[in-house]
Amino acid sequence: YKVPDCHTFKLMEDKCGTDVVGHLYCRHACLSAANTACSNLNLDATVRMEATMAKDKFCQFVIERS
């Protein structure tokens, strides 16, 4: 799934600056949410991040069944 406009990222950028937000600490929240969804649906799947807001101007995640 793709997140083209992230409110959390923008808030972090406004409050912490581009140096901090460039480390993309918020990715852990999105990855955890996706992993939790897979777990709750009893899916044996892996989640990975293919694009980041800081580099690609959007975040993109891929969920693949194992």
Side-chain angles (χ1 to χ4, degrees):
Y1 62 94
K2 184 176 183 178
V3 182
D5 187 33
C6 181
H7 184 69
T8 302
F9 183 85
K10 286 182 180 179
L11 285 175
M12 288 178 57
E13 187 174 40
D14 290 345
K15 297 291 182 182
C16 302
T18 55
D19 289 340
V20 170
V21 80
H23 293 287
L24 210 65
Y25 297 115
C26 53
R27 75 182 179 278
H28 299 292
C30 289
L31 289 167
S32 292
N35 279 314
T36 298
C38 290
S39 178
N40 287 343
L41 294 169
N42 294 318
L43 296 176
D44 185 17
T46 57
V47 182
R48 70 178 190 280
M49 189 173 197
E50 287 194 334
T52 67
M53 195 69 67
K55 180 181 171 192
D56 304 299
K57 305 300 181 211
F58 63 92
C59 287
Q60 184 165 310
F61 302 87
V62 174
I63 301 172
E64 293 180 320
R65 287 189 175 192
S66 301

